[in-house]
Amino acid sequence: MLDTPASEQVSEDRSEEDRAPSASRERVLWTIGATLLVLVMVALFLRGVSSSSGPGGRSADGLPQQRPSPVYTLSDALRAQLAIEVTTILEKSSPAQHHAHGHDFGDEYEKQELRVVCAVDPFGVEPVTATTREEVKTVYAQHMCAVDEFGDPWAKSIRVAGPLAVTLDKKEPVIEVPLSGEGYPEHVRELIPPYFLESAFSNYFDPDTLEKARERFENGQNPPPVAIS
């Protein structure tokens, strides 16, 4: 049997020694890369949490946390009074009447006498100088109405929502909502005055108002009383 020359043995030994540090370096680089990837993902996650729940941001459900400040603002007292009145007007309407307003709960509900529970958050009035209910001719508000069918919770109910306008200086209140579907933003602009558009498009909704509507919906309570003028 022939012996391997000493020079070749040295060459093979060096080759193995060279490969070992190379593999070690690859493992170190892979570990560093994986660590950096994890750190980047954590940073992005924390940034997302901060942007969704920080001051002036949006809540976890996507709704803004702060009420927009239009050029013409409402007092809290007048807002609360109008919210009750418009809520009562909406809740006294049948699903078929809601369909006439522009709501769409579905064809199967139009001929049924089902309870409708609403939440209303006014953001403006006409004339803009009005400070009392007697002076108000039109209310602009965000609203959400749900049909109470078979006792489903609020979260699973059939709901309609968005800005609306309610004219109060007629014999009967006139409710108008923007046409849904294609061209919806333009329909909002046709219905809501320019100085209230920020509020109309913001989707801000007072969380306490929504929570009270949810409680009334799930507890089967009667609509709130009409506000006294």
Side-chain angles (χ1 to χ4, degrees):
M1 182 174 179
L2 298 176
D3 293 333
T4 303
S7 60
E8 293 185 13
Q9 291 179 352
V10 171
S11 177
E12 290 176 358
D13 292 342
R14 287 179 178 176
S15 177
E16 291 177 359
E17 291 175 359
D18 290 342
R19 284 197 297 269
S22 177
S24 178
R25 284 195 299 270
E26 289 180 359
R27 286 196 295 270
V28 171
L29 291 174
W30 186 91
T31 302
I32 293 174
T35 302
L36 289 174
L37 178 61
V38 170
L39 291 175
V40 170
M41 293 177 65
V42 170
L44 290 174
F45 171 77
L46 293 175
R47 180 181 179 182
V49 171
S50 175
S51 64
S52 64
S53 59
R58 290 176 176 267
S59 62
D61 58 8
L63 295 177
Q65 290 184 297
Q66 293 184 353
R67 184 186 299 279
S69 300
V71 177
Y72 305 102
T73 58
L74 284 177
S75 67
D76 291 340
L78 183 57
R79 176 181 287 110
Q81 188 177 15
L82 292 171
I84 293 175
E85 183 170 357
V86 175
T87 297
T88 303
I89 292 170
L90 290 172
E91 292 186 345
K92 284 184 175 180
S93 301
S94 67
Q97 289 173 319
H98 276 279
H99 183 78
H101 301 156
H103 290 152
D104 185 7
F105 290 112
D107 296 338
E108 66 271 27
Y109 300 107
E110 289 185 20
K111 296 181 180 180
Q112 300 184 38
E113 292 299 326
L114 299 175
R115 191 171 68 111
V116 178
V117 176
C118 299
V120 175
D121 189 4
F123 56 75
V125 296
E126 290 283 7
V128 295
T129 55
T131 57
T132 65
R133 167 61 187 87
E134 292 79 8
E135 297 174 317
V136 175
K137 295 182 178 180
T138 304
V139 182
Y140 302 103
Q142 293 287 355
H143 81 293
M144 179 177 290
C145 290
V147 169
D148 185 8
E149 186 185 9
F150 299 116
D152 288 334
W154 173 263
K156 294 184 178 179
S157 63
I158 298 175
R159 285 174 286 171
V160 293
L164 53 63
V166 182
T167 303
L168 300 174
D169 64 340
K170 305 292 184 182
K171 185 176 181 180
E172 294 292 336
V174 177
I175 302 169
E176 298 177 272
V177 299
L179 294 176
S180 59
E182 186 177 355
Y184 177 77
E186 289 304 317
H187 297 154
V188 173
R189 293 185 180 95
E190 292 170 0
L191 182 64
I192 308 297
Y195 34 86
F196 293 134
L197 284 177
E198 181 184 0
S199 297
F201 283 118
S202 74
N203 294 326
Y204 174 84
F205 217 119
D206 177 59
D208 291 337
T209 300
L210 281 177
E211 179 60 19
K212 289 177 182 177
R214 183 196 65 78
E215 291 176 354
R216 290 194 297 113
F217 182 87
E218 295 185 351
N219 295 334
Q221 296 177 356
N222 294 327
V226 178
I228 299 175
S229 300

